[in-house]
Amino acid sequence: AIGPWSFCSAAEAPLAIRPDRVDAVVKAGAGFLVRAQLPDGMIQEQDKRENHGVAMTALALMGLASVGHQPADKTTEGEAMRKAVAFLLRTDVTPANGYYGQRDGSRMYGHGIVTLALTELLGMGADKAQDGFLRERAQRGVNLILAAQRVKKHDPRFIGGWRYAPDAGDADLSVTVWQLLALRSAKNAGLVVPKEAIDAAVGYLRRSYRSPRDAQGRIRDPKSAFGYVPGQPPAYAMAAAGLLAMQVCGLHDAPEVLGATDWLRAAPPVWETSWFFYGTYYYAQGMGKRGGDAAREARERVEGLLLANQRPDGSWEGADGSEGGQGRVYCTALALLSLSVRHHYLPIYQD
């Protein structure tokens, strides 16, 4: 469906969009997330509350925070965030075993999202007591991520990465990037994260980059990108995820970053791209960090596509089979995160 701000075809991106148009779209998207909140504080459509509702609540919180809302705000959005944070801090939602993807079936994928949200919200709690609970739950989530990384892997290529279960012996880039973002955010917030855990995860990222290497380990393909698992060819969402993750780890000018940037500039997203919202969150933030023409091109494309395809109620919905069943909270939260690049409100994107 095409929203009321439509002014280009679904596959096109305009050359420039006035900031007030983007602000109007962001406000409408935030409004949808607030209206989607359920009485217990979960942010998820009622008919999908059993579909990864904990992870979706965390994702919605990050989406709202990324465009400037905080739980302490005396606003409708602030009140919704306070209720959502209180939901996440319930002992049956974030249990003592520290596995936050267990209750809603989102597994390690959701665990990484929830842990990242908890670490990003540190200092934004409604009061000191809530901030204390956020810090304790965040460290608990980090500890499980670290334990899962240390599980013996079936293949040395998977060392440093994560998969869907805490005891998995393999890894993929999609699950790994959420855990790595959570670790980096936690380390920035002063939580206990060993440097070797970050280094091992970066090693997995490098092995996921599709290129032959010389005897010194240097990549030979100057324009390639990251695949879902080591050895697989690059695809949009994974190329963008690897690009952002490397930069969040401080490797802004690594050969893999330069190569993935060139690869994405040559194959930018269109509305029908597989895993459009998931990939575009990483694409917008990752290309934004590159700066210059790469950042400008990405921002124009992302804003054009999202403004052209917002629904009248302020939400977004997946256009292809990969995201068609994920729900509007998932798509809307990722859309807000994609449109928030210019603000840098979330701590993890500020360095």
Side-chain angles (χ1 to χ4, degrees), residues 11-28:
E12 295 174 340
L15 295 179
I17 298 173
R18 294 203 325 257
D20 62 321
R21 283 186 176 268
V22 180
D23 291 341
V25 164
V26 164
K27 182 178 180 180

Side-chain angles (χ1 to χ4, degrees), residues 179-241:
Q179 317 311 312
L180 181 53
L181 292 179
L183 292 183
R184 281 298 308 172
S185 175
K187 191 172 183 66
N188 291 347
L191 299 181
V192 179
V193 180
K195 179 180 182 296
E196 55 266 27
I198 303 290
D199 293 343
V202 169
Y204 179 78
L205 290 181
R206 292 189 186 277
R207 288 190 294 277
S208 299
Y209 188 89
R210 178 68 177 269
S211 173
R213 294 180 182 265
D214 63 20
Q216 285 74 44
R218 294 173 298 202
I219 63 173
R220 291 177 174 173
D221 189 342
K223 191 168 82 173
S224 186
F226 303 87
Y228 180 64
V229 295
Q232 281 196 2
Y236 168 61
M238 293 299 93

Side-chain angles (χ1 to χ4, degrees), residues 123-142:
M124 298 186 196
D127 50 45
K128 288 185 178 180
Q130 191 173 79
D131 268 331
F133 282 122
L134 283 168
R135 182 168 293 273
E136 186 272 333
R137 295 292 202 284
Q139 185 65 62
R140 193 183 292 175
V142 164

Side-chain angles (χ1 to χ4, degrees), residues 126-346:
D127 50 45
K128 288 185 178 180
Q130 191 173 79
D131 268 331
F133 282 122
L134 283 168
R135 182 168 293 273
E136 186 272 333
R137 295 292 202 284
Q139 185 65 62
R140 193 183 292 175
V142 164
N143 293 344
L144 185 127
I145 291 173
L146 295 172
Q149 188 188 40
R150 291 192 294 266
V151 170
K152 183 176 175 59
K153 301 299 188 281
H154 304 321
D155 185 314
R157 295 178 303 166
F158 297 138
I159 293 172
W162 291 266
R163 189 67 161 168
Y164 284 103
D167 59 351
D170 57 353
D172 72 60
L173 189 65
S174 183
V175 176
T176 292
V177 168
W178 283 115
Q179 317 311 312
L180 181 53
L181 292 179
L183 292 183
R184 281 298 308 172
S185 175
K187 191 172 183 66
N188 291 347
L191 299 181
V192 179
V193 180
K195 179 180 182 296
E196 55 266 27
I198 303 290
D199 293 343
V202 169
Y204 179 78
L205 290 181
R206 292 189 186 277
R207 288 190 294 277
S208 299
Y209 188 89
R210 178 68 177 269
S211 173
R213 294 180 182 265
D214 63 20
Q216 285 74 44
R218 294 173 298 202
I219 63 173
R220 291 177 174 173
D221 189 342
K223 191 168 82 173
S224 186
F226 303 87
Y228 180 64
V229 295
Q232 281 196 2
Y236 168 61
M238 293 299 93
L243 171 66
L244 177 61
M246 292 284 286
Q247 292 180 96
V248 165
C249 292
L251 302 169
H252 299 281
D253 296 311
E256 295 88 350
V257 168
L258 303 180
T261 300
D262 289 344
W263 190 93
L264 285 163
R265 292 184 75 181
V270 296
W271 179 240
E272 295 81 10
T273 296
S274 182
W275 295 106
F276 171 81
F277 288 96
Y278 177 66
T280 297
Y281 156 57
Y282 292 124
Y283 171 76
Q285 296 289 347
M287 296 295 267
K289 281 185 171 291
R290 291 300 302 148
D293 288 342
R296 176 187 55 79
E297 293 164 6
R299 178 172 168 179
E300 289 170 354
R301 179 164 292 272
V302 168
E303 290 180 349
L305 290 169
L306 290 176
L307 267 67
N309 290 284
Q310 189 177 38
R311 294 166 58 92
D313 64 358
S315 70
W316 283 268
E317 192 166 24
D320 80 316
S322 63
E323 292 179 316
Q326 299 300 315
R328 289 179 292 160
V329 167
Y330 163 88
C331 296
T332 304
L334 289 172
L336 292 184
L337 283 160
S338 302
L339 292 169
S340 70
V341 176
R342 60 198 172 114
H343 297 305
H344 303 290
Y345 287 132
L346 286 176

Side-chain angles (χ1 to χ4, degrees), residues 36-47:
Q37 188 166 49
L38 302 175
D40 63 357
M42 178 188 288
I43 301 179
Q44 178 63 299
E45 296 164 86
Q46 177 63 51
D47 63 341

